[in-house]
Amino acid sequence: MKIGYPCLNTRLGCSSARTFRLRSYSPQRLVRTVDQNLDCLERILRFNADHGLLFFRLTSDLVPFASHPVAENFDWAAHFAGRLGELGRFIRDHGLRLSMHPDQFILLNSPDPKVLRNSVAELRYHARLLDLLGLPEEAKIQIHVGGVYRDKTLSLFRFADRCLDLEEPLRRRLVIENDERSYGLKDCLMIHLVTGLPVVLDVLHHHLLNEGESLREALAVASATWSPDDGPPIVDYSRQRPGGRRGRHADSLEEAEFRAFLHDSQPYDFDLMLEIKDKERSALHALEIAAGDARLATPPGVRRPEPETPVPT
DNA sequence: TCTGGTCAAGGTGGT
DNA sequence: ACCACCTTGACCAGA
């Protein structure tokens, strides 16, 4: 089990998701912004490696407007290939796993051809980034099924069809996450049957939308959709903000709840993404709480203390 | 320097 | 038909 957090680190005083307004676009502005984003990303990755946080979600804003027509004459991939390659080496050397989660505008099942085109372009940007980092297939891009468009079954199978139309290298990185309103775990499993795509279990979403499966049952079926090349299954963990609106994420990790989760999720192993507002703080707290859990991954070169090891004299 | 309205992109659900 | 919400940070114009 690797533990991680999404996109932002709150204590380094930098952001790897800096952007700018479309009307401020220029190739120079793009290069300057991405340089800053990469500098910050490097700091975040070093922080993570130093602290045993081996899982991290890369922001979609790393290269602003990468899939937008405004930037189509600028070859961002070629421009940043060298730097991304270096970062990728660091990631691999330190046993880090990365994932991405494009936002709500990515809708593979939209009936609108333009929305589909934009979505595919944006997914290609995500895959390109992970490719330039030289990361294996286990570096995943997780998306939701999308809209219902007044006919859920039709829309679900349209999603599956569109997945099968994607080029192989992109499709191999895609994973489907259950949402809290329209497409639950069962629906994602159906898509898995048709497309082979693995399923990310989001624990909070599953809590809000389910068909009575317990956490353990849900983990069992979601885990079974992952093959060895996909890497360990990914699970998203968050909690409802107490007293907050339905689905709203909490500000911090709650120890007793998280201990209960670790207990209830036995014996399944997976990499855990903590979607909690205070980011690395909760991730570090989770690491402490999980210390001693036999599933916890250790960085390469760091050996778990052996019980009863005789001390050389 | 600070702040609040706004930002490439969509869909849902309440009024 | 319209608007707030999703989830959220960061930009940037204007004070």
Side-chain angles (χ1 to χ4, degrees):
Chain A
M1 178 187 290
K2 296 181 179 182
I3 291 180
Y5 61 100
C7 306
L8 266 43
N9 182 301
T10 67
R11 63 181 72 181
L12 293 177
C14 70
S15 168
S16 61
R18 297 194 64 170
T19 180
F20 48 84
R21 296 290 182 257
L22 179 56
R23 66 174 178 277
S24 314
Y25 176 86
S26 70
Q28 295 75 23
R29 180 74 187 265
L30 181 67
V31 168
R32 195 177 54 191
T33 303
V34 176
D35 280 339
Q36 290 172 330
N37 286 345
L38 291 172
D39 288 344
C40 186
L41 177 62
E42 182 174 340
R43 292 182 58 202
I44 294 174
L45 294 172
R46 287 186 187 282
F47 175 92
N48 291 353
D50 287 347
H51 290 82
L53 295 171
L54 303 182
F55 193 22
F56 183 65
R57 182 183 296 165
L58 188 56
T59 175
S60 297
D61 285 334
L62 195 75
V63 185
F65 302 105
S67 74
H68 191 281
V70 77
E72 67 188 358
N73 292 319
F74 178 72
D75 191 349
W76 63 268
H79 195 275
F80 298 108
R83 184 78 193 281
L84 288 168
E86 287 169 25
L87 286 171
R89 238 182 322 278
F90 181 89
I91 291 164
R92 293 194 306 276
D93 289 349
H94 291 80
L96 308 180
R97 186 185 198 183
L98 259 56
S99 68
M100 300 187 78
H101 193 342
D103 61 5
Q104 74 236 53
F105 307 105
I106 282 48
L107 295 155
L108 279 183
N109 71 351
S110 172
D112 182 341
K114 196 168 142 230
V115 172
L116 174 64
R117 259 202 315 279
N118 292 345
S119 297
V120 172
E122 181 72 355
L123 287 177
R124 286 184 177 143
Y125 150 65
H126 283 73
R128 193 83 204 276
L129 206 46
L130 296 172
D131 288 348
L132 288 165
L133 287 164
L135 301 180
E137 206 177 311
E138 65 150 41
K140 295 300 189 187
I141 302 168
Q142 72 186 67
I143 56 176
H144 294 289
V145 182
V148 169
Y149 310 106
R150 297 202 290 267
D151 186 337
K152 184 169 154 179
T153 306
L154 190 65
S155 299
L156 188 148
F157 283 101
R158 190 165 57 239
F159 178 92
D161 281 345
R162 301 259 169 92
C163 283
L164 292 172
D165 287 341
L166 296 171
E167 61 272 19
E168 174 77 14
L170 167 54
R171 194 171 68 238
R172 280 191 292 117
R173 291 200 188 275
L174 275 193
V175 293
I176 331 151
E177 178 192 345
N178 59 309
D179 67 62
E180 80 279 29
R181 199 165 44 202
S182 308
Y183 297 97
L185 177 62
K186 269 242 167 67
D187 302 312
C188 294
L189 290 170
M190 179 60 75
I191 289 170
H192 166 75
L193 283 180
V194 181
T195 62
L197 297 194
V199 175
V200 170
L201 180 70
D202 182 303
V203 171
L204 176 57
H205 292 166
H206 183 67
H207 180 69
L208 295 167
L209 176 67
N210 62 74
E211 301 197 18
E213 312 94 337
S214 68
L215 173 65
R216 215 170 254 135
E217 289 163 343
L219 284 168
V221 290
S223 298
T225 62
W226 293 69
S227 68
D229 285 346
D230 294 317
I234 293 174
V235 171
D236 284 358
Y237 178 91
S238 56
R239 50 189 285 262
Q240 172 81 42
R241 174 188 294 211
R245 255 188 298 279
R246 173 194 151 91
R248 179 105 192 225
H249 288 181
D251 291 336
S252 62
L253 191 75
E254 208 283 308
E255 179 159 346
E257 265 182 41
F258 187 64
R259 279 193 195 284
F261 169 78
L262 287 176
H263 176 266
D264 294 343
S265 61
Q266 293 279 7
Y268 299 98
D269 195 10
F270 43 82
D271 290 340
L272 190 60
M273 182 56 64
L274 295 171
E275 295 184 321
I276 313 259
K277 241 177 100 65
D278 65 5
K279 307 289 177 183
E280 84 287 346
R281 186 185 155 84
S282 280
L284 290 167
H285 190 196
L287 264 188
E288 283 174 32
I289 297 170
D293 191 305
R295 294 172 291 181
L296 201 61
T298 48
V302 177
R303 200 158 306 144
R304 197 181 288 283
E306 308 259 341
E308 312 288 324
T309 303
V311 181
T313 46

